[in-house]
Amino acid sequence: MFLLEVSYFMVLGTVFTSIISVLLLLAVSRQLWAFRWRMTRDRTCKLPLPKGSMGWPLFGETFHWLLQGSSFHISRREKYGNVFRTHLLGKPVIRVTGAENIRKILLGEHNLVNTQWPQSTRIILGANTLVNSIGDFHKQKRKILAKVFSHAALETYIPRIQGVVRTEVESWCANRGSINVYPSAKALTFRIAVRVLLGLNVEDDHLDYLSKTFEQLMENLFSLPLDVPFSGLRKGIKARDILHECMEKIIVDKLQQNQSEEYSDALDYMLSSAKENDKELSIQELKESAVELIFAAYSTTASASTSLILQLMRHPSVAEKAKQELVSHGFNVHSVQFVGCKNGNSLPTVVVPEGSAEKQGTHENSTTETKPQKGFDLTHHSTSGPPDTMPATVEEGHYSCHQPYLSLEKLSQLHYLDCVVKEVLRTLPPVSGGYRTALQTFELDGYQIPKGWSVMYSIRDTHETAAVYQSPELFDPDRFGTEREEGKAGRFNYIPFGGGVRSCIGRKLAQIILKILAVELLSTGTAAVKLWEIYIVSGRDPYCQSPLPPGTMGLPFLGETLQMVLQRRKFLQMKRQKYGFIYKTHLFGNPTVRVMGAENVRQILMGEHKLVSVQWPASVRTILGSGSLSNLHDSQHKNRKRVIMKAFSTDSLQHYIPVIEEEVRSAVSEWLENGSCVLVYPEVKRLMFRIAMRILLGFEPEHTKRDEHELVDAFEEMIRNLFSLPIDVPFSGLYRGLKARNFIHSKIEENIRAKVSKRHEESQYKDALQLLIENCKKNGEPLNMQELKESATELLFGGHETTASAATSLVMFLGQHQEVVENVRKELHTKGILGSNSQDKQMDIEMLGQLKYMGCVIKETLRISPPVPGAFRVALKTFELNGYQIPKGWNVIYSICDTHDVADIFPDKEEFNPERFMTSSPEDSSRFNYIPFGGGSRSCVGKEFAKILLKIFLVELTKKCNWTLLNGPPTMKTGPTVYPVDNLPTKFSSFIDIFN
């Protein structure tokens, strides 16, 4: 045993020693690696090297760069400043930010620095490309390519670009499934590059093959320079060779043809320009130039197009202003229609490019934000549209009408759109920067840049840190307008296309493509709807694998609010039938998930404070106020609810019964005296309003009668506009709602001040408002008049609006089911409330509790016609519900009426059958199948008060009246509680008590 223990400790010691040795070796090697690069500094220059880290031996910080993306440069810039050193892709690198520093780099071309892309890029693209040329060869190459992007050439490209963009936008709208914008934009720009610039008329299948091949080239363009089997460099070379083989066939055909005066593509312009400059281009040069044209036009323009779409959808005011400019120039905004363009069950999603500036974890060497796609020689050289892709008339399924043909002159007149494109390129430049190599040691910002080291300048960081931009974090196209002209304040503060002799030669073409795309999107109503959906669902959590619920997001900015408000029941029924128990929509300015079904609703109600929190639409929050119970959270909500609950204790409810009986008897007597027709709903609302004013707010009877009509009318106006668009301008719904609320507040304040002045007098009972006032005094808090007014308004709303809806439904259902009325009367007779001895009976809580059948009648009424159809929540975090993800920040509406409708525990759901609640209590078998009062910590605070009130109402009604519905069963509407459209005209007559 001793020997085993010794052996065990020896093994541990060996392992520990090995680990320590490895760690020491790594530490020493890292220090030697850093020392090795410090020794390469120019000793004749006294300036220090920039601050920074060279990483690990051989690999440097390459893996950190690849894995951390843009955060790699951001973290080091914050730590070391605008100039720092690192080691990437096998080379020592100086990273540079800031207008003055970049000016020195860009204007120092051929003197201080020379373009030198990573070795893998130079190998794959070839030595004859513009990005890899230097000195006189670069000047000659650029001169030849200048004709490709001349004014005459661009004018030739524009109609074909417009045709291709239209076709692509049409396909987006016609797509019933999901649209990933970035891949779609890349497909668009690839077609532009291949069919317009290179003039390749290939079948779609072959075009897809070429696109995948080019994608493989792009993926391996920035790789370790190791040409071994299965390496990234080897894969990139293989893809390039396939493309060269295809290009060679086209080029040979062109060389064999006689050149005409009108050139149809960039290769023609290039060959012509070469002849004019006494230069004969070899097949190899033409092949490499052709691939470079695709390279320049492909990912960068696709990235910029994606960013343009995102920014337009994020900023509706910008999109609207751009549309107005189009209208002023004779464009038919929203007049373009698509045949058969329908919303599908599967909504589109945005997939932001891995290298996009949209994605903070992106790589600076990927397509947009990173892979410096433009070496600032040939970046956005993209146009689109084959010569035959823009027919005068289009077949069915395409556009039914077109915008006018665009031209350079027409595009140049769209000044605001030009500002929009500039701001997109400022905030989200498609390329992060460019590479250079130091030709000699020179000084930059107080540091030495040693000869032979690589220099990487940052476009994105320079834009973000430029002091000339006011609020640079904001998307504000007006900064480039004539009034501000921030873009002209310093030449090198805005460099999306680089600068100096290496500035992007195709920048005008890139801007043309972006403008044409914007024109087609903004002037196409259906495209706007599709892109609205794309933008909204881009809010899904990418870390959650579950899909978003099915559904549609409606019109841009309005969503489906108008349909829901105008056709609520039909709208919701259609949605449920089409999408099931969970679906997404856009209501009251927010993306929303609507939920029904016991299990789904249970998860929402029991997830309060963990998964969801109460959040009513902005209009409701504004009108009711932040001090109302429904808008309070956590401890504030618990404390306020505890105080209000005292107003609904058993003793308090017993105290309220005489007041309720008095008001109900008075109202029923008036209805009987009327003799002809009573509009039940408005009459019941007035009755419930009087009861709520007296019981909940403590209004004296004489004050109640005096203020009743004005207050009821004001409440009607406030409630009518409770759910409206959150736009507070004269005559808007929110404006009218606030005006009505302010009148209500003024009356309530009079009552509060009267209560405070009578603080030494003992009242008959303490209403809810009195309890709130006393709670403030008990806690030593100052009397917050605004909070008290808001709480009182909410009590009036909850205390009369919902009970009025339920009482009206009772009249409606019992008017259709006389047998139920007879059963209620039999129960009243059995309990001694109806008949010869009924006069001696005093109504109390205990007696009302014994009315079991009447309780079932009320339950059945609330099952079929719950006063409140649902409630609002907001997701506190992304969570899964029935296989779908509910993204953080989205609204969640749980539906009470739909949950009742779909509950399997209720047989013959459409029948009015109170007996279903007599034999067993269905709500006990599945607690969340029956939720007229909600559930969880947010269940209705006044539900016992409502039950007592409805029972007393039904007792008095059935004791005194017979009634007939004059219009038969009414159409029910919601706004915000359920009510009959015709106000339920009813004839009441006296009931002759047969039990006497």
Side-chain angles (χ1 to χ4, degrees):
M1 179 66 73
F2 175 74
L3 291 175
L4 286 174
E5 291 179 358
V6 171
S7 176
Y8 176 73
F9 283 113
M10 287 178 65
V11 170
L12 284 179
T14 302
V15 171
F16 179 75
T17 303
S18 300
I19 293 173
I20 294 297
S21 300
V22 170
L23 292 176
L24 286 173
L25 180 61
L26 289 174
V28 171
S29 63
R30 180 168 178 140
Q31 291 300 317
L32 291 174
W33 175 255
F35 178 74
R36 174 251 190 277
W37 290 110
R38 284 198 298 271
M39 292 302 292
T40 61
R41 64 181 295 274
D42 191 336
R43 295 178 181 277
T44 63
C45 180
K46 295 182 180 181
L47 296 173
L49 287 171
K51 298 176 183 179
S53 170
M54 305 305 284
W56 296 97
L58 301 179
F59 299 103
E61 294 190 304
T62 301
F63 291 120
H64 297 79
W65 179 49
L66 294 173
L67 295 173
Q68 294 178 14
S70 60
S71 60
F72 171 86
H73 293 292
I74 292 171
S75 63
R76 280 153 181 77
R77 189 186 77 207
E78 291 174 351
K79 186 175 182 180
Y80 301 122
N82 284 344
V83 180
F84 62 86
R85 74 174 187 268
T86 182
H87 194 281
L88 302 173
L89 298 173
K91 297 279 290 183
V93 176
I94 302 295
R95 170 87 172 184
V96 177
T97 299
E100 188 56 34
N101 294 330
I102 286 179
R103 184 195 66 80
K104 191 168 185 177
I105 298 298
L106 294 178
L107 296 184
E109 187 73 29
H110 306 314
N111 178 24
L112 300 178
V113 296
N114 246 347
T115 292
Q116 185 172 347
W117 288 64
Q119 190 175 351
S120 59
T121 307
R122 299 199 304 273
I123 293 171
I124 292 173
L125 291 183
N128 296 301
T129 53
L130 186 63
V131 295
N132 288 328
S133 60
I134 58 175
D136 292 337
F137 181 53
H138 172 262
K139 293 178 183 178
Q140 185 185 59
K141 194 82 176 171
R142 191 176 177 93
K143 189 174 182 181
I144 292 172
L145 283 172
K147 192 169 184 178
V148 175
F149 304 104
S150 64
H151 186 283
L154 295 176
E155 198 74 74
T156 303
Y157 302 150
I158 286 176
R160 293 175 289 171
I161 295 172
Q162 190 177 3
V164 169
V165 171
R166 281 182 175 173
T167 302
E168 192 69 19
V169 171
E170 178 190 11
S171 70
W172 293 352
C173 292
N175 190 329
R176 296 192 178 191
S178 172
I179 295 176
N180 296 323
V181 172
Y182 183 56
S184 298
K186 286 201 294 185
L188 169 63
T189 54
F190 190 78
R191 288 175 184 272
I192 290 171
V194 170
R195 288 185 168 169
V196 176
L197 293 181
L198 301 185
L200 270 66
N201 294 315
V202 295
E203 298 293 331
D204 285 345
D205 291 343
H206 189 54
L207 192 66
D208 290 340
Y209 170 71
L210 290 177
S211 177
K212 291 177 182 177
T213 304
F214 192 80
E215 190 71 36
Q216 182 177 330
L217 180 146
M218 294 295 298
E219 288 172 357
N220 297 287
L221 200 58
F222 295 84
S223 56
L224 292 174
L226 302 174
D227 186 11
V228 296
F230 308 110
S231 67
L233 181 59
R234 178 66 61 85
K235 293 176 183 177
I237 292 173
K238 182 180 178 181
R240 179 204 63 190
D241 291 342
I242 294 173
L243 292 169
H244 277 190
E245 182 181 355
C246 177
M247 297 297 126
E248 185 170 356
K249 295 177 183 178
I250 305 299
I251 292 166
V252 169
D253 289 341
K254 280 187 176 293
L255 292 174
Q256 292 174 353
Q257 295 172 0
N258 293 323
Q259 296 296 314
S260 62
E261 289 299 319
E262 295 184 1
Y263 306 104
S264 61
D265 57 56
L267 282 178
D268 288 328
Y269 281 109
M270 198 185 304
L271 289 169
S272 170
S273 182
K275 287 182 180 181
E276 292 173 3
N277 288 277
D278 297 323
K279 168 72 175 175
E280 186 173 344
L281 299 176
S282 66
I283 298 293
Q284 185 64 25
E285 284 180 299
L286 288 169
K287 287 191 296 185
E288 290 180 1
S289 295
V291 172
E292 185 181 33
L293 284 172
I294 303 175
F295 163 66
Y298 181 58
S299 295
T300 51
T301 313
S303 170
S305 299
T306 303
S307 299
L308 173 68
I309 291 169
L310 285 175
Q311 295 290 38
L312 286 175
M313 300 318 298
R314 279 178 171 171
H315 303 281
S317 60
V318 171
E320 187 58 35
K321 190 172 181 180
K323 287 179 186 177
Q324 294 305 317
E325 182 180 55
L326 293 178
V327 171
S328 68
H329 285 86
F331 289 85
N332 300 317
V333 175
H334 294 313
S335 66
V336 178
Q337 300 295 326
F338 295 100
V339 179
C341 184
K342 298 178 180 179
N343 291 321
N345 295 343
S346 176
L347 288 182
T349 56
V350 166
V351 174
V352 179
E354 283 301 316
S356 168
E358 274 303 291
K359 209 162 186 176
Q360 291 301 314
T362 51
H363 302 163
E364 284 259 352
N365 68 325
S366 38
T367 349
T368 53
E369 207 293 354
T370 53
K371 279 184 185 175
Q373 297 285 13
K374 37 179 170 183
F376 302 102
D377 296 309
L378 193 69
T379 352
H380 296 279
H381 313 327
S382 13
T383 353
S384 67
D388 56 346
T389 57
M390 192 169 178
T393 58
V394 184
E395 296 178 359
E396 183 180 16
H398 292 242
Y399 293 85
S400 61
C401 61
H402 286 313
Q403 291 297 340
Y405 285 97
L406 294 170
S407 63
L408 282 175
E409 182 183 2
K410 288 180 181 178
L411 289 174
S412 67
Q413 294 170 356
L414 301 175
H415 300 298
Y416 184 73
L417 186 58
D418 183 64
C419 294
V420 172
V421 170
K422 286 181 178 178
E423 183 69 346
V424 168
L425 297 176
R426 183 192 71 84
T427 55
L428 299 172
V431 173
S432 68
Y435 287 93
R436 299 293 185 268
T437 296
L439 297 176
Q440 58 176 304
T441 299
F442 62 94
E443 180 270 339
L444 188 67
D445 200 23
Y447 298 106
Q448 69 160 277
I449 310 300
K451 178 182 178 180
W453 280 40
S454 292
V455 179
M456 181 191 294
Y457 67 87
S458 172
I459 295 174
R460 177 185 174 187
D461 291 349
T462 298
H463 288 179
E464 288 179 353
T465 58
V468 300
Y469 298 122
Q470 301 173 22
S471 305
E473 72 282 358
L474 300 179
F475 183 80
D476 181 13
D478 288 317
R479 72 173 77 250
F480 292 101
T482 54
E483 294 183 2
R484 290 163 61 180
E485 294 186 336
E486 293 178 17
K488 294 183 179 180
R491 179 178 167 191
F492 292 93
N493 287 299
Y494 181 75
I495 49 171
F497 300 107
V501 297
R502 291 277 182 175
S503 63
C504 172
I505 195 172
R507 58 185 178 273
K508 290 184 179 179
L509 184 54
Q511 291 171 313
I512 285 171
I513 292 174
L514 294 175
K515 284 185 177 181
I516 290 175
L517 177 61
V519 167
E520 292 298 327
L521 290 174
L522 292 172
S523 60
T524 304
T526 313
V529 172
K530 192 75 171 182
L531 292 173
W532 167 250
E533 293 178 340
I534 291 173
Y535 170 61
I536 290 299
V537 300
S538 68
R540 70 180 298 275
D541 190 336
Y543 299 103
C544 179
Q545 298 301 314
S546 301
L548 288 171
T552 54
M553 307 308 283
L555 296 171
F557 321 122
L558 297 176
E560 296 185 304
T561 304
L562 295 178
Q563 297 98 303
M564 202 275 288
V565 171
L566 296 175
Q567 301 177 312
R568 183 182 183 95
R569 285 185 170 253
K570 183 179 179 181
F571 172 81
L572 296 178
Q573 186 178 26
M574 179 272 292
K575 288 284 186 181
R576 188 180 82 196
Q577 290 174 349
K578 187 172 184 180
Y579 300 119
F581 289 4
I582 301 178
Y583 58 85
K584 66 175 177 289
T585 181
H586 196 279
L587 300 174
F588 305 107
N590 289 292
T592 301
V593 176
R594 188 171 170 86
V595 174
M596 65 200 73
E599 185 54 34
N600 296 329
V601 170
R602 182 195 66 78
Q603 193 169 339
I604 298 299
L605 292 179
M606 302 309 291
E608 188 73 28
H609 307 311
K610 293 178 289 185
L611 299 178
V612 297
S613 183
V614 166
Q615 180 169 302
W616 291 87
S619 58
V620 178
R621 299 197 304 272
T622 303
I623 292 174
L624 292 185
S626 58
S628 58
L629 183 66
S630 60
N631 289 327
L632 295 178
H633 299 277
D634 301 323
S635 59
Q636 284 186 313
H637 174 261
K638 291 179 182 177
N639 293 336
R640 183 71 58 81
K641 185 174 182 178
R642 186 178 64 251
V643 173
I644 293 176
M645 284 295 291
K646 293 178 182 178
F648 301 115
S649 65
T650 302
D651 290 342
S652 296
L653 292 175
Q654 179 62 54
H655 223 45
Y656 300 154
I657 289 176
V659 177
I660 298 172
E661 284 185 301
E662 176 189 336
E663 291 290 348
V664 172
R665 284 171 182 166
S666 174
V668 169
S669 297
E670 289 181 11
W671 300 349
L672 288 172
E673 290 173 5
N674 186 286
S676 56
C677 172
V678 174
L679 296 178
V680 172
Y681 182 57
E683 288 298 323
V684 169
K685 285 190 78 169
R686 291 189 184 92
L687 165 63
M688 297 302 173
F689 193 81
R690 290 194 297 272
I691 292 172
M693 286 180 70
R694 291 183 63 182
I695 289 177
L696 300 180
L697 303 190
F699 274 73
E700 298 297 334
E702 60 272 17
H703 293 161
T704 302
K705 293 179 180 178
R706 184 192 68 192
D707 297 331
E708 176 191 342
H709 291 291
E710 285 184 314
L711 278 171
V712 168
D713 290 343
F715 246 96
E716 282 292 311
E717 181 69 8
M718 186 189 84
I719 292 169
R720 189 161 42 244
N721 296 289
L722 200 58
F723 291 85
S724 56
L725 291 174
I727 303 172
D728 185 11
V729 295
F731 309 111
S732 68
L734 181 59
Y735 177 85
R736 294 196 299 270
L738 288 171
K739 184 178 179 181
R741 182 211 59 187
N742 292 338
F743 175 78
I744 296 166
H745 277 192
S746 66
K747 292 296 182 181
I748 291 174
E749 185 171 350
E750 292 177 11
N751 188 50
I752 292 172
R753 295 192 183 282
K755 282 180 174 292
V756 173
S757 65
K758 296 179 182 179
R759 57 184 178 274
H760 299 298
E761 298 180 14
E762 282 294 328
S763 58
Q764 187 179 2
Y765 60 86
K766 292 179 180 179
D767 55 74
L769 182 57
Q770 184 67 43
L771 289 169
L772 288 172
I773 295 171
E774 290 183 3
N775 185 65
C776 290
K777 296 177 183 177
K778 180 180 177 182
N779 296 329
E781 300 172 358
L783 197 65
N784 190 322
M785 183 63 72
Q786 185 63 27
E787 282 191 8
L788 287 172
K789 289 189 293 185
E790 290 172 353
S791 295
T793 302
E794 185 180 35
L795 283 169
L796 269 181
F797 169 63
H800 94 278
E801 184 73 17
T802 54
T803 50
S805 171
T808 302
S809 295
L810 277 171
V811 174
M812 176 187 70
F813 285 123
L814 269 62
Q816 299 173 61
H817 300 276
Q818 187 60 36
E819 73 282 3
V820 174
V821 176
E822 295 303 322
N823 289 336
V824 168
R825 286 170 176 160
K826 287 178 182 178
E827 183 179 56
L828 293 178
H829 176 70
T830 302
K831 301 301 180 183
I833 301 173
L834 185 64
S836 56
N837 299 322
S838 61
Q839 300 298 326
D840 300 330
K841 290 283 185 179
Q842 294 294 322
M843 197 76 70
D844 57 27
I845 294 288
E846 182 180 357
M847 182 180 297
L848 291 172
Q850 294 173 3
L851 300 176
K852 301 297 183 183
Y853 183 77
M854 182 178 288
C856 293
V857 172
I858 294 171
K859 284 182 180 180
E860 180 70 346
T861 299
L862 297 178
R863 181 189 71 83
I864 296 178
S865 185
V868 179
F872 286 80
R873 299 290 188 268
V874 64
L876 298 176
K877 62 180 182 180
T878 298
F879 62 94
E880 185 178 302
L881 187 65
N882 200 18
Y884 298 108
Q885 73 157 277
I886 311 299
K888 179 182 178 180
W890 280 38
N891 279 356
V892 179
I893 298 179
Y894 71 87
S895 174
I896 295 174
C897 53
D898 287 330
T899 297
H900 290 179
D901 286 348
V902 301
D904 293 332
I905 65 168
F906 298 125
D908 303 319
K909 300 180 185 67
E910 296 179 359
E911 291 185 12
F912 184 80
N913 179 21
E915 279 79 6
R916 73 172 80 245
F917 288 95
M918 290 292 288
T919 54
S920 62
S921 182
E923 68 267 31
D924 292 337
S925 60
S926 183
R927 180 177 167 192
F928 294 93
N929 281 299
Y930 180 73
I931 49 170
F933 300 106
S937 62
R938 290 278 182 173
S939 61
C940 176
V941 68
K943 59 186 176 184
E944 296 304 322
F945 169 70
K947 292 175 183 178
I948 293 294
L949 177 54
L950 292 174
K951 280 190 175 181
I952 294 174
F953 174 76
L954 197 52
V955 166
E956 294 299 326
L957 195 65
T958 52
K959 280 174 62 178
K960 303 285 180 62
C961 303
N962 288 317
W963 63 95
T964 303
L965 306 182
L966 297 180
N967 288 349
T971 299
M972 304 299 286
K973 194 174 180 180
T974 304
T977 54
V978 176
Y979 67 96
V981 173
D982 63 356
N983 286 324
L984 200 66
T986 303
K987 182 177 180 179
F988 289 91
S989 58
S990 297
F991 166 66
I992 299 174
D993 189 351
I994 60 174
F995 297 103
N996 276 323

